[in-house]
Amino acid sequence: MSGATPGAHAEPAIGWIGLGAMGAAMAARLVDRGRPVLGWNRGAARAADAAARGVTVTSDIAEAASRDIVVSMLPDDEVVREVLGGATVLAAVKPGSVHVNCATISPGLSRELDGLYRSRRAHYVSAPAFGRSAAAAGGQLTIVAGGDAEPVGLIRPVLDDLAVSVHAFPEPAQANLVKILGNYLIAVTAGSLGEVAGIAERGGLKADQLLDVLTERLFSGLIHRAYGQMVAEQRYEPVAFTMRLGKKDVDLARAEAQHHGGHLPLGDVIAGALGEGVAGTAAEQDWASVAEWFRTRAGGVR
């Protein structure tokens, strides 16, 4: 691949765009695994945090975008379209390089970006990740990789350093649909956990008494256990994923359902609850705290 140092075993050069909580954790994980990363971020404070974790930082986005493998982790469709579809990044993209977009974005934008990168003879892969920043730091993510088999194969060693499992799909937009629906299901789960906790408390039980039983075997998956513990303890810090971003993802799922002629009735309720938080003072609180909206309406104890 272009940019590699000649030798018996030349590793591809990795650029990184977006060093927020998740981006920095993922980039630092690669550094820890012996893969140097050149990173860029819009804000200097986040960039400095990433530098402290071993990521080489540049103030020139074109420098990061010109690497063999470029990974991006940006917050939403608007920012992704502005940055990845912008003239500066596209002009820097090298033919044959692979852009790996880990953001949770709409399938429509994913198809648009795939076309843009193909027009520059580069590869585009959607690789959204399930997991919080702590999971990213430990290489414990679940990644959904969508794109042509060749570029997905080229980046697979990098993804394997970040994840416990990588699931491949032939089209980038398919990976985004999986991620959107997965996040939607997490939001529904958080809401339902808040509801049952509230009713349990009305009935004289403590939430942890109920959830210890339910998450032992019946609902023993990672999400029910992790979110159940947060709900039982009413502990939503440190913030790993904000309510604002959660509302964005639920809205993406609702829009995709509508695009295909369907409807997500539970999604309307969840979006309303998240919307109240975003409109109030909770926009930057952890999205798992939406459980408290459902808990109070079920008559539980805050």
Side-chain angles (χ1 to χ4, degrees):
M1 300 179 76
S2 61
T5 302
H9 181 65
E11 291 290 337
I14 300 174
W16 199 284
I17 296 174
L19 295 168
M22 275 295 289
M26 293 169 74
R29 166 69 180 178
L30 293 183
V31 172
D32 291 343
R33 298 291 290 175
R35 298 184 185 276
V37 174
L38 179 68
W40 173 90
N41 194 64
R42 290 183 297 171
R46 291 287 196 180
D49 290 343
R53 299 170 73 171
V55 178
T56 302
V57 173
T58 178
S59 60
D60 182 3
I61 190 173
E63 187 180 7
S66 66
R67 296 289 168 131
D68 302 314
I69 295 173
V70 183
V71 188
S72 60
M73 177 59 90
L74 298 167
D76 53 36
D77 277 37
E78 181 180 0
V79 175
V80 167
R81 180 175 281 108
E82 175 188 345
V83 175
L84 303 190
T88 301
V89 168
L90 291 175
V93 169
K94 291 181 179 179
S97 63
V98 184
H99 190 98
V100 188
N101 185 4
C102 296
T104 303
I105 60 171
S106 66
L109 177 55
S110 188
R111 285 187 285 269
E112 179 183 325
L113 291 170
D114 186 32
L116 280 174
Y117 281 80
R118 286 181 188 273
S119 71
R120 282 153 178 81
R121 295 183 291 120
H123 304 286
Y124 176 83
V125 175
S126 282
F130 289 103
R132 293 176 167 237
S133 56
Q140 298 294 303
L141 298 172
T142 295
I143 291 179
V144 188
D148 293 340
E150 180 184 358
V152 171
L154 286 171
I155 66 169
R156 185 62 186 258
V158 174
L159 299 183
D160 285 342
D161 280 345
L162 296 170
V164 290
S165 61
V166 178
H167 303 266
F169 289 82
E171 298 177 15
Q174 292 172 329
N176 293 111
L177 180 57
V178 171
K179 180 61 182 346
I180 289 166
L181 294 179
N183 276 13
Y184 169 74
L185 191 56
I186 293 171
V188 171
T189 300
S192 66
L193 286 167
E195 281 187 325
V196 299
I199 295 299
E201 288 161 346
R202 291 283 286 183
L205 291 171
K206 292 183 179 180
D208 61 351
Q209 293 176 304
L210 171 73
L211 295 174
D212 281 349
V213 173
L214 296 184
T215 62
E216 180 186 20
R217 292 186 63 192
L218 297 173
F219 301 94
S220 59
L222 176 64
I223 297 301
H224 278 94
R225 282 180 176 269
Y227 282 71
Q229 184 175 11
M230 285 188 276
V231 171
E233 299 174 2
Q234 294 180 288
R235 174 185 50 77
Y236 304 106
E237 293 181 344
V239 176
F241 190 70
T242 66
M243 195 169 288
R244 176 178 55 82
L245 291 174
K247 171 67 162 55
K248 178 263 297 185
D249 288 355
V250 171
D251 284 344
L252 284 174
R254 295 166 69 215
E256 194 64 14
Q258 186 175 21
H259 175 73
H260 292 289
H263 180 221
L264 296 175
L266 289 176
D268 296 342
V269 180
I270 294 287
L274 289 165
E276 284 192 25
V278 171
T281 60
E284 301 306 314
Q285 292 180 13
D286 197 285
W287 79 322
S289 63
V290 72
E292 297 304 311
W293 188 95
F294 290 91
R295 187 188 216 130
T296 57
R297 280 155 183 78
V301 179
R302 272 194 70 94

